[in-house]
C-alpha cells in the first residue's frame, strides 16, 4: 500500500463514525479530501458539514454536500481530520495546510475528534514537523523573538495568508516533550491566534493507515 492508499483506507474507515441525520465536522488536507470523497458516496444523508477551511468548503460544495455555519450548529457528534504528527497519547501537530485555527475551533465543538492519518505520521516525540503558529501580522517579529527564546527557529511561511487574514510562523527545532504545557504557553503570547499543538483537546481516536490495514489507537 502506498501513502495515498493508506490515507484512502482510513478515510473509508472514518465513515463508520458518521451518524445519519447529523452534522459532521470536516478537516483540511489530502487525507481529509479523501474523507470528503467518501462522504459524497455515503448511502445515507447527513444534515450537512462544518468546514475547517475555505478549501474544504469548496470541495464539499462541489460534491453537493451542504456547508453549514458553525454558529448555526448546536450539536456535532464527530469531527474528522488529518494530522502532520501524532503521538501515542493522541496529541497532534496540525496546520501543515495552514487551517489550524478553524480546525481547533471545530475540534473543540465536536463531541468526538477522530484523527485519520497514514503510518508515517505516528512519532515518539512531536516536533520534527515544524510547529505552525498563526500570528496577527503586526505581532510577527515580536512572536518570532519569543519563539527563539523558547528554543525554536521560526520561519515565516512565504507567500501564505490564512483564511483569517493572518501569517504562519513554522517553528523548527522544538522537541515537544510537554505538548499541553507548550500549547498553553504559546497561546499566551499576545498576537498568537493559535498554535498547531492539539494536546489540551487531543484526538479521541487515531485511525492509522498501515501496510497491514487500519489500526485504531484510543
Ligand atoms: C491542515 C492540517 C492537515 O490535517 C495536516 O496538514 C495533514 O495533511 P495531510 O492529510 O495532507 O497529510 O492540519 O491544516
Amino acid at each position: 500500500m502506498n501513502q495515498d492508499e493508506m490515507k484512502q483506507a482510513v478515510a473509508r474507515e472514518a465513515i463508520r463514525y458518521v451518524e445519519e441525520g447529523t452534522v459532521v465536522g470536516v478537516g483540511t488536507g489530502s487525507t481529509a479530501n479523501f474523507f470528503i470523497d467518501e462522504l459524497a458516496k455515503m448511502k445515507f444523508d447527513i444534515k450537512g458539514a462544518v468546514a475547517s477551511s475555505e478549501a474544504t468548503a469548496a470541495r464539499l460544495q462541489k460534491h453537493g454536500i451542504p456547508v453549514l455555519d458553525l454558529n448555526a450548529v448546536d450539536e456535532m457528534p464527530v469531527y474528522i481530520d488529518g494530522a502532520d504528527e501524532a503521538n501515542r497519547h493522541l496529541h497532534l501537530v496540525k496546520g501543515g495546510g495552514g487551517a489550524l485555527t478553524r480546525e481547533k475551533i471545530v475540534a473543540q465543538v465536536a463531541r468526538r475528534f477522530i484523527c485519520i492519518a497514514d503510518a508515517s505520521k505516528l512519532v515518539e516525540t512531536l516536533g520534527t514537523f515544524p510547529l505552525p503558529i498563526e500570528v496577527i501580522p503586526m505581532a510577527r517579529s515580536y512572536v518570532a523573538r519569543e519563539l527563539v527564546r523558547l528554543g525554536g527557529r521560526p520561519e515565516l511561511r512565504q507567500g501564505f495568508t490564512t483564511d483569517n487574514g493572518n501569517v504562519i510562523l513554522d517553528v523548527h527545532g522544538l522537541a515537544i516533550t510537554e505538548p499541553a504545557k507548550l500549547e498553553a504557553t504559546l497561546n499566551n503570547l499576545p498576537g498568537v491566534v493559535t498554535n498547531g499543538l492539539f494536546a489540551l483537546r487531543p484526538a479521541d481516536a487515531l485511525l492509522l493507515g498501515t501496510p497491514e490495514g487500519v489500526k485504531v489507537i484510543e
Side-chain angles (χ1 to χ4, degrees):
M1 252 200 242
N2 64 33
Q3 197 177 19
D4 272 355
E5 286 167 339
M6 288 191 262
K7 289 180 181 187
Q8 214 164 1
V10 289
R12 250 193 317 265
E13 191 67 19
I15 290 294
R16 286 171 180 273
Y17 294 81
V18 177
E19 297 171 23
E20 185 168 4
T22 63
V23 176
V24 183
V26 183
T28 298
S30 57
T31 319
N33 282 345
F34 281 122
F35 173 69
I36 295 169
D37 298 345
E38 293 298 325
L39 260 187
K41 290 188 230 159
M42 242 175 23
K43 296 281 179 279
F44 58 82
D45 284 335
I46 54 170
K47 204 182 277 176
V50 171
S52 66
S53 65
E54 300 297 335
T56 287
R59 196 176 183 99
L60 287 162
Q61 275 156 346
K62 205 182 89 197
H63 280 302
I65 299 169
V67 176
L68 308 174
D69 179 345
L70 181 61
N71 293 304
V73 168
D74 304 323
E75 267 234 309
M76 193 191 308
V78 72
Y79 174 58
I80 312 279
D81 196 3
D84 298 301
E85 283 184 341
N87 68 18
R88 297 215 167 262
H89 306 288
L90 308 186
H91 300 146
L92 313 172
V93 167
K94 291 185 44 55
L100 59 159
T101 299
R102 295 188 188 191
E103 291 174 340
K104 204 175 269 197
I105 295 168
V106 186
Q108 189 68 39
V109 172
R111 208 158 58 228
R112 296 195 80 197
F113 172 13
I114 309 298
C115 182
I116 51 176
D118 67 87
S120 70
K121 307 293 180 68
L122 187 65
V123 297
E124 202 57 49
T125 306
L126 302 174
T128 302
F129 188 92
L131 179 65
I133 305 191
E134 179 165 355
V135 179
I136 305 261
M138 75 172 286
R140 188 192 72 213
S141 297
Y142 159 71
V143 171
R145 285 194 296 275
E146 293 299 312
L147 291 168
V148 170
R149 277 153 55 109
L150 289 167
R153 280 179 286 110
E155 266 180 26
L156 179 66
R157 197 176 292 186
Q158 293 297 331
F160 186 85
T161 304
T162 69
D163 286 346
N164 314 308
N166 298 311
V167 297
I168 298 270
L169 294 174
D170 291 304
V171 191
H172 299 250
L174 294 172
I176 305 172
T177 49
E178 293 179 290
K181 194 168 160 198
L182 183 62
E183 182 178 357
T185 301
L186 295 174
N187 281 346
N188 268 338
L189 295 173
V192 168
V193 179
T194 198
N195 69 82
L197 277 168
F198 284 56
L200 295 167
R201 198 281 180 247
D204 297 301
L206 170 63
L207 309 188
L208 199 68
T210 76
E212 295 80 42
V214 176
K215 286 190 182 152
V216 182
I217 302 175
E218 285 179 314

